[in-house]
Amino acid sequence: KNEVEQSPQNLTAQEGEFITINCSYSVGISALHWLQQHPGGGIVSLFMLSSGKKKHGRLIATINIQEKHSSLHITASHPRDSAVYICAVKPNTGNQFYFGTGTSLTVIP
Amino acid sequence: NAGVTQTPKFRVLKTGQSMTLLCAQDMNHEYMYWYRQDPGMGLRLIHYSVGEGTTAKGEVPDGYNVSRLKKQNFLLGLESAAPSQTSVYFCASSWSGLYYGYTFGSGTRLTVV
């Protein structure tokens, strides 16, 4: 089973474009986690959020609890943003996060 | 540098062999996790720990055991490796399970032949 659906699965953008990655889930959650996996395999935690919006540099994460949806935006995209972006949710019941399969982003110079 | 260190980075095992993966963190984090990542699937939680001396099962615990004898170390054991355990294994740690981000190790690529 997978509680989390991400779209698109693959995304190619030109440098400088505004990028949106979507995450939908089907159950009530207490937290949502956005992560970045580099081409070399390393994983970095980007945001943990349960409501509203968070911003860090050119990255913005939003969540709509009622619609069970979150978006990750990248402004002024750069080739170094090329990575797999992963969404994970923690249901209201239980102690673990469930991860999506990721969105593979390629930013072309 | 502070962070999460996993050893080894690569390993090839024969079916039936045993091994232990070590995860060490120097950030005084309470929570530690072991995940596996397989092609076409999201990260899946194997076991986790919410503090020294405690462990709990995750989504896919069968065939694995863990121990957290010291706060900074979380060991993942495979008693009798099977080809289905071929995967990339990630360890992670966090201050708490909910409000703080995770710090991940660089991963261990395990092949069971």
Side-chain angles (χ1 to χ4, degrees), chain B residues 41-57:
Chain B
M41 303 185 76
L43 287 159
R44 291 183 294 167
L45 183 65
I46 304 170
H47 286 280
Y48 66 101
S49 169
V50 300
E52 180 178 318
T54 74
T55 63
K57 294 180 180 179

Side-chain angles (χ1 to χ4, degrees), chain A residues 1 30-31 33 35 37 41-45 48 50 86 90 95-101, chain B residues 35 37 40-45 48 58-59 90 97-106:
Chain A
K1 65 174 181 178
S30 55
H33 199 172
L35 307 101
Q37 186 164 27
I43 301 174
V44 175
S45 185
M48 187 86 79
S50 56
I86 300 168
K90 185 177 181 300
N95 294 319
Q96 64 178 329
F97 279 88
Y98 292 90
F99 291 73
T101 54
Chain B
Y35 291 94
Q37 186 176 42
M41 303 185 76
L43 287 159
R44 291 183 294 167
L45 183 65
Y48 66 101
E59 187 181 355
F90 286 96
L98 198 57
Y99 300 111
Y100 297 92
Y102 291 11
T103 301
F104 282 82
S106 57

Side-chain angles (χ1 to χ4, degrees), chain B residues 101-113:
Chain B
Y102 291 11
T103 301
F104 282 82
S106 57
T108 296
R109 185 172 294 276
L110 174 67
T111 303
V112 183
V113 298

